[in-house]
Amino acid sequence: MENNKRYILAQRPVGMPDDTHLRLEEVPVPRPGAGEVLLKTIYLSLDPYMRGRMNDAASYARSVAIGEVMTGQTISQVIASNSAEFSEGDFVLSNNGWQTHAVAEPASLYRLDPRQAPISTGVGVLGMPGFTAYVGLREFGKPKAGETVVVSAAAGAVGQVVGQIARLQGCRVVGVAGADDKCDHVVKAYGFDACVNYRSDDFEAQLRAACPQGIDVYFENVGGKVFDAVIKLVNDFARIPVCGRIAHYNQTSLPEGPDRLIPLMGKILVKRLMLRGFIQSDHLELLADFRRDMSQWIRDGKVHYQEDIVEGFENTIGAFQGLLQGRNRGKLLVQVAADPTRR
Amino acid sequence: MENNKRYILAQRPVGMPDDTHLRLEEVPVPRPGAGEVLLKTIYLSLDPYMRGRMNDAASYARSVAIGEVMTGQTISQVIASNSAEFSEGDFVLSNNGWQTHAVAEPASLYRLDPRQAPISTGVGVLGMPGFTAYVGLREFGKPKAGETVVVSAAAGAVGQVVGQIARLQGCRVVGVAGADDKCDHVVKAYGFDACVNYRSDDFEAQLRAACPQGIDVYFENVGGKVFDAVIKLVNDFARIPVCGRIAHYNQTSLPEGPDRLIPLMGKILVKRLMLRGFIQSDHLELLADFRRDMSQWIRDGKVHYQEDIVEGFENTIGAFQGLLQGRNRGKLLVQVAADPTRR
């Protein structure tokens, strides 16, 4: 029988993680106990939040301990079952982490029906990233028809969904991304009204031109210079759901220079801004609504999505580095084993 | 007949305003036109927001123009009336600015009944500062019984009311002020559970000790080091209504040193904080509720207040400088003329 390959957090990264921090090892495939199932990973989801879990700092989620398998959601197939709930061959969403096999309790699994949607979407548009977009807009962004919504990391797993939901609500949607082809894609494939490349020399001027009525909602995924440019354009009563700060995840020290906290607080006061950090897992009471709405939107062709599937478990670290550098195109997945539902 | 004395904005201050920026001049008392009333100022309200109106920068309110009378609310008495609505001797809340006399339209006035409450409270606990406290807690702070509420500028016109309303809602209330006698006063007179002097060497340790359960609501009036200390102690889902930033109003440049915006945004995300700037005038639909609730609380002895009344219109600039430096004790007013209702 093949071994279980897995990535262990060997030491905490300072800056960009590499194979000195995440060590690939092989151990025997575990055996399921009474009531348990054995899962084989088909897709491993790679997401920016994982970088935070590698740190020791207190956060909303527990850090991965040194020596532990790196955490992550997987699309898996049941290959042995001691449970009446799941049969061999079933597809599930699980939290197996960065490994090829795992034993799981049935209660921790969410069944996926490949006839309803490609199973990979269970960690994408129909999974955590899509739900993050849904929660952030519905609970905190609260866009109204006619308002301007700006989305950073617009081509990413969350951003692409944010923009499309906001479009469905009658908003002007402006994306920000880090490459011209990403910008083209979000306009053509997702119907964004505009998208600006933040690496352009005249990024601020382009953003201003793309938002002639100012900005009412800014869905914050990145931080850095995008935040600075947006803040200059916000309207009174703008809402800023803070979902991520990928520009800062590998930062090892605070930049010198003026303290931007002071002008930000001034702007919050004068413009009566609302900033609100959030994580989707605080809002699971909305999950059923989300699954109903999003699967309907996909069936109706109102929401589209793009996946970036990297072949081969041994390419996981490189793929994750690329995610932190914005090299992915759409929702990033590692194909760990062949997907029997995909022809 | 006596002249109208008034302070004109002669030039825009950089840093602390003084008599080179605010010029005292005398002009003839104006005559009321048809339907108008002539008002004599009894009290001039001095409030931190006035510093912002002296600047040219865009804000939620129009700047005072060079050559214009400095803006401000007044408690005034009608001394001549061409209006059927007001008679000579009536007391009103008006926006006459920093001057001893003014002509006004009846529609711009709010009648004060000296039998209900001292007329000075019309710019204090029953006026804009009290309403600011009420709006900030009710709409944005939303304290729940048992939560810890921290109030900066706790002895000031807004802070003293914030703490008392939060106490009425069953919260633990911790004040922050800049003098030991202010701290003593908010504990003894207003029933705060504790109050910490931010000028103490061990301010952060004292604040931590005063908030053993962390901080759920921070009512932000000041910015600066108080904000920094609070942010270290906030609980998940803390709410931060941003009402003022008095520590920064005279600031002429941004401090060097690390950029505190980045760790703040990280904290917002990880702790799922809500920051919201607000101004009471966006919420006038709550004014009737406020007047009903607050006058009841005062009658029932549930809310107390302190006024700091500076005698003499010629002392206005010095009083305002003291306000920006925290030298006032309670709601600051200038007594411009004798108050016939006060014995």
Side-chain angles (χ1 to χ4, degrees), chain B residues 150-161:
Chain B
V150 171
V151 190
S152 58
V158 175
Q160 60 180 242
V161 181

Side-chain angles (χ1 to χ4, degrees), chain B residues 190-207:
Chain B
Y190 308 136
F192 282 41
D193 296 282
C195 186
V196 180
N197 183 342
Y198 69 80
R199 300 188 210 260
S200 309
D201 289 340
D202 61 343
F203 162 58
E204 284 201 15
Q206 284 190 37
L207 184 65

Side-chain angles (χ1 to χ4, degrees), chain B residues 246-277:
Chain B
I246 197 168
H248 303 288
Y249 287 173
N250 282 327
Q251 206 161 39
T252 53
S253 64
L254 296 183
E256 297 296 319
D259 181 0
R260 296 181 303 150
L261 177 62
I262 294 170
L264 174 67
M265 293 298 286
K267 202 81 165 184
I268 288 174
L269 179 57
V270 165
K271 293 280 182 181
R272 289 87 95 204
L273 306 182
M274 196 278 289
L275 276 73
R276 175 60 153 81

Side-chain angles (χ1 to χ4, degrees), chain A residues 257 259-260 262 272 282, chain B residues 245 257 259-260 262 272 282:
Chain A
D259 181 1
R260 296 181 303 150
I262 294 169
R272 289 88 94 206
D282 290 329
Chain B
R245 302 165 56 254
D259 181 0
R260 296 181 303 150
I262 294 170
R272 289 87 95 204
D282 290 330

Side-chain angles (χ1 to χ4, degrees), chain A residues 246-258:
Chain A
I246 197 167
H248 303 289
Y249 287 172
N250 282 327
Q251 206 161 39
T252 54
S253 64
L254 296 183
E256 298 296 319

